[in-house]
Amino acid sequence: MLALVAVLLLALGAAATIFRRAPAVLGVSAALSASGAAAALASLIAGGPTLALALPIGLPSGLMAPDGMTLALDPLSAMFLLILFVAAAFCAVYAIDQHEAEDRRALAGFPAFVGAMALALLAADAFTLVFGFELMSAVSWLLVLARHEDADSRSAGIFYVGMALFGGLCLVPAFAVLAHAGGAHAGLLDLRFSAMRAAPPEGWRAALVLALVLLGAGSKAGLVPLHPWLPLAHPAAPSHVSALMSGAMTKVGLYVIVRVLFDLCGPAQPLWWGIPLIAAGAASALIGALRATADGDIKSVLACSTIENVGLIAVGLGVALVARGADLPALAALALCAALLHALGHGVFKPLMFLCVGSVAHGAGTRSLARLGGLIHRMPVTAGCAILGAACLAGLPVFAGFAGEWLLFQAVLAGPRIGGLALQTLFAALAAVLALSVALAAAAAVRLIGVAFLGRPRGPRAAVADEAGPRARAAMIGLSGLAVLLGLLPGPAIWLLEPALRGLSGAGMAGRAGWLAISPTQESFGYAPAAIALLVALAAAGGMLALRRLAARGIALGRERGPAWANGFAAPPAWLPFGDSVTQYGGASFSEPLQRTLGRTLLRGGDPAMHWLMRPLLAARGAISRAADAMQVLTIRRILTVMFAVLVLFLAVIAAVEM
Amino acid sequence: MAILIAFVLQALHIALVFAAAPLVVGVIRSVKARLVGRAGPSVLQPYRDLLRLVRKRTVVAENASAVFLLAPMAAFAATAAAAALVPSFALGMISAPIADLLVVAGLLTIARVAQALAGMDVGTAFGGIGASREMSFAAFAEPALLLVIFTLVLLAGTTNLDVVAGLLRDGSLGLRVSLGLVLVAALAVAAAENGRIPVDNPATHLELTMVHEAMVLEYSGPDLAVIEATAALRLTLWLTLIAAVFIPFGIAVPEASALGWLTGLGAWVGKILALAVALAVFETSIAKMRVFRVPEFLGIAVLLGLLAAVFLFVSTGFA
């Protein structure tokens, strides 16, 4: 089966070159992705036997230990592959309808992007993983630049490539340290994961790996403080690519974190290992959610919400690491299950939301909230799917986002059992921060739907927006269906994660996940989405019936349409067919209370990472380049002196190394 | 047999809570009127108001979408489902295994989101202002609520409301300072969630100070009746929740006899009446806050919740 997946990868790469027409490329991508998703699902259902495959290509022989690249499909890889291929299949179908002229530049990149991500997920040695990871970065960079006429896209592309290079710069030494711990064989570093697993790093080496992986893979996943590129680069790409970048590429970053910290570094790591991950995750959740309530661009809002969700997943991973360090496998499994289940849910509802707002950008001609409004009348299917996606985004019960967040809260609430006053207080503060983030995400979801889809149009273009094409609608409806299914049946989804949980945390969720209900411990009661949904449906039916019975005795039935009451405001004049747009609440006015109370102190006028990290870095770069400029205008005497000094320094260093 | 009893208890609970909800509002209004020296309407007035609204014709704004039409019933259904989960006079109802505190909070969020979306649907300024403030206040109330739940979980070990109420009723957890701190935090959250003074004034007629009322200005007729019923139900739910967790005396255990259930019923009615009167006295004695003082008010609730958790860690060496 793994050979099949490998062939699939090659086919994805070839799809772009063989076919020239957009529908053919995208159709083939969709079919290949669907079969990839089926293969990953089959592997998970089969209980995730590990399959391995060695490719005859790779680094020139004699440089490093495995001669060719090696692939392996284990439960963890299969689960992330499932997220990737499901999203990719729907995005490709969607793109057939929504393709715009400038998106032709993104055509060849799309299958290559999917293939590169799959390669990174399937890698069984460090070279293959870094190769796939960097290929993914490079191709996605090209996709971000698909609309390079736009100055914003260009600057986003430059920022993104800088962050991607930095990520690679951190990952390579991380794997070098890991391989070094495995010991050198005949002077060659053994890059295979199996060798790294056999000799996990200890002491300062382990801490170094942790720091480098958090920086390298965290920058791709969107963890604070390396997140500011997401809201710039994700919206710049065509929508079906944005959907994959947010839904799947951030997950590849998270996959690398899980693979290295849980798998390659082994279970014998100290308790504090999870703390940096928890801190970065909580900060990401808060900053992402707060930015999502303020951004004026509908795709940026979703990218900020991705930062929030990645933060929640990272918190789950951190709690799992802490619990594993404290030798509480059941709690570790609970936290890891929360993180993976939320990753699965986010992998469905975030692409769904991106496809919906992509349809809005396509149909209404703008991504700016200040020019949208009232789209539910012109785009009912898109609006319906967006409302469903927003309910998942807001973490409402029985929708896809809730189960993961519920389990995460259960893990955090059980966290104080680990002990230690400082750690317990940390967990209490963590619970408050997570609750704030989830509530802010709900505010952001209401704002996105309320301003873009409800109310009156804020511009003439929004008043004549077109509904998405049939295949785009089908993709959105399909993803909505998956989101509903995932929301109602979290138990079966957890069964799919079971082998990965057992492998990574030493315990599973057996006895805690059933068809209808999931629970944090085997003895306790839990969350039963189907029963809750039934209860709500019964309440609605009962309410409707009672209303009908009572109203039947009234004097008049039915609804009558009239002008909006608006507390007796006069009707707008004839030259304002949709009323005066300034009398309607917009995106900026909606977020004003939150910005006034939280935003000013936390965000520092945009983003704290920009304020504290990026701007000082840019200033330092400017200072260095100015200093270097001075070198260019030196007199020949001084240039010779500098060259001589460098030579002496170089020789001194060599002498020191030789000794 | 046990299942049958649990089922009967559930049905009785739902009927009681639904029937009592308008009465709770009536009692509060009547007591408030008396306290300021007015005769005030009968305590039954809310029932008459609901009936009057139900029999009226509905006028809907021209540009209202399906969201506007469906939101009142969605909010009602979610609130009603939450109300069905919170034990009133007896534990061990059929819904006990799924009565999770986080799920109850989530169902109330569904109701809030539905009403906020409906407020934005017609595109008037008031609807937007109400929705924006409602969601912002909720963002501050949620951390406080979660810290309340956090402390309860530290004591009871689970988020299941039935188990928590049962353990607190037994008194096996003892009387604790933390519970007192958490009670204050819970009351602040309840005031914010129900739009009561000092966060919002349920009887206001000045639009600029409105939060809850501003979102529903466009509604009329049966739709408005559903919204009013939802608000009454939510208030009763919160009072019942606070009674079940913080004044757990008298609530009937699953194996109780008929006498036990009658005692539980009496205790519940007494507790709700006492809480309603206390709320009326409190609302009469203080003024509504400025909108931007509300985050500070709820921030204090968050700190109290945090303090309660830390107290518990220190005092018990919880491990």
Side-chain angles (χ1 to χ4, degrees), chain A residues 3 63 131 323 352 370 386 408 417 557:
Chain A
L63 278 178
F131 179 71
L352 167 65
L408 181 61
R417 255 186 280 153
L557 281 171

Side-chain angles (χ1 to χ4, degrees), chain B residues 177-192:
Chain B
V177 185
S178 293
L179 275 179
L181 294 173
V182 168
L183 171 62
V184 179
L187 289 174
V189 173

Side-chain angles (χ1 to χ4, degrees), chain A residues 170-183 189 191 196 199-202 204-210 212:
Chain A
C170 290
L171 274 186
V172 172
F175 281 112
V177 172
L178 276 170
H180 190 77
L189 280 179
L191 290 180
M196 295 179 186
E202 286 162 8
W204 65 269
R205 283 197 182 152
L208 190 63
V209 169
L210 174 70
L212 288 172

Side-chain angles (χ1 to χ4, degrees), chain A residues 376-377 387 394 396-399 402 406 409-410 412-414 416-417 419 421 424-425 427-429 431-433 435-436 439-440 442-443 445-447 449-451 453-456 524-528 531-532 535-536 539-540 543-544 547 550-551 553-567 569 583-585 589-594 596-598, chain B residues 51 54-67 69 73-74 76-78 80-81 84-85 96-98 100 102-103 106-107 109-110 113 116-118 120-126 128-129 131-133 135-136 138-140 142-143 146-147 149-150 153-154 158-160 163 207 217-218 222-223 225-226 290 292 295 302 306 309-310 313-314 317-319:
Chain A
I376 193 171
H377 302 285
I387 289 175
L396 299 183
V398 315
F399 295 100
F402 187 77
W406 185 84
F409 275 119
Q410 293 293 348
V412 171
L413 291 173
R417 255 186 280 153
L421 184 62
Q424 289 170 335
T425 313
F427 274 107
V433 170
L436 180 59
L440 286 173
V446 166
R447 174 175 173 267
I449 297 296
V451 175
F453 290 98
L454 306 179
R456 289 175 279 134
S524 68
F525 300 123
Y527 163 57
I532 301 285
L535 196 60
V536 173
M544 229 108 79
L547 205 60
L550 288 170
R553 284 181 254 150
I555 43 173
L557 281 171
R559 292 186 169 105
E560 190 177 305
R561 293 269 175 175
W565 155 234
N567 281 38
F569 254 56
T583 63
Q584 185 177 200
Y585 244 55
S589 35
F590 188 94
S591 60
E592 202 270 350
L594 285 170
R596 186 196 280 224
T597 46
L598 284 177
Chain B
L51 215 58
V54 163
R55 291 179 181 170
K56 283 200 164 192
R57 189 184 51 174
T58 316
V59 182
V60 179
E62 283 147 345
N63 62 339
S65 71
V67 170
L69 303 180
M73 198 43 87
F76 174 80
L85 297 179
I98 58 168
D100 187 273
L102 295 169
V103 172
L107 285 170
T109 308
I110 292 188
V113 165
L117 286 180
M120 300 190 79
D121 188 44
V122 178
T124 62
F126 292 118
I129 209 170
S132 158
R133 288 180 178 175
M135 295 313 291
S136 307
F140 292 101
E142 213 82 333
L146 211 90
L147 283 172
I149 297 176
F150 190 90
V153 172
L154 288 182
T158 172
T159 49
N160 187 281
V163 177
E207 293 91 346
L217 272 175
E218 291 295 324
D223 288 345
V226 172
R290 270 186 65 211
F292 288 104
V302 173
L306 207 54
V310 175
F313 294 142
V314 176
F318 181 86

Side-chain angles (χ1 to χ4, degrees), chain A residues 327-391:
Chain A
D327 212 12
L328 293 170
L331 179 57
L334 178 68
L336 188 61
C337 174
L340 295 184
L341 187 65
H342 197 62
L344 202 60
H346 185 246
V348 172
F349 70 73
K350 191 48 67 73
L352 167 65
M353 282 305 278
F354 261 107
L355 298 189
C356 290
V357 303
S359 305
V360 168
H362 187 85
T366 177
R367 303 197 316 243
S368 167
L369 273 179
R371 284 189 227 149
L372 294 169
L375 292 176
I376 193 171
H377 302 285
R378 302 284 309 178
M379 317 174 75
V381 175
T382 306
C385 293
I387 289 175
L388 185 97

